[in-house]
Amino acid sequence: MTSINRDNLIAAARVARDKAYAPYSRFHVGAAVLTAEGIIISGCNIENAAYPSTMCAERVALHNAYAQGARTIIALAVIADTPGPVSPCGGCRQVMAELCPRAIIFLANTAGAWVETSLAALLPGAFDPNDLPMASAKPGH
Ligand code: THU
């Protein structure tokens, strides 16, 4: 992945963050994924008065990409106004294990800091489709 692609992906996540609907926490998060087709699809956190119905930016971006037909995610970026690069929640890490297990993951903050990581580093030993007995339960099917 080139630095230009990386910077573009983080920039897309930053733009998506401006769309966050977060009237309760006022914590705005943006995410963007790069598909194998070279398309960037983004998402932001969307909160709900019934708090558990809130959806994180990473999941909105990943679900948006899958809803548009993408099945191979090359990279994912997430950004928030945190002291260091934002740390994805456990639920999002589990969804990444399902929908983008091999993606390059960039964690960023609005001050310009970023780190590159992987799902294996974020969620070692993840329960994933290979743990299920059904042979057809594989990503992309
Ligand atoms: N949030 C995300 O969008 N992604 C994360 O990985 C962590 C948390 C959102 C959910 C909620 O709208 C707000 O941040 C505060 O938890």
Side-chain angles (χ1 to χ4, degrees), residues 33-101:
V33 300
L34 174 66
T35 74
E37 294 77 24
I39 298 167
I40 290 177
I41 298 171
S42 63
C44 58
N45 56 325
I46 302 174
E47 297 189 343
N48 194 288
Y51 295 173
S53 295
T54 288
M55 188 52 65
C56 291
E58 300 93 312
R59 270 179 274 180
V60 171
L62 283 167
H63 291 176
N64 190 4
Y66 267 67
Q68 293 187 41
R71 287 296 180 270
T72 304
I73 307 297
I74 304 295
L76 178 151
V78 56
I79 189 168
D81 184 12
T82 39
V86 64
S87 180
C89 80
C92 286
R93 294 176 194 219
Q94 183 64 39
V95 172
M96 291 176 199
E98 180 74 32
L99 301 183
C100 64

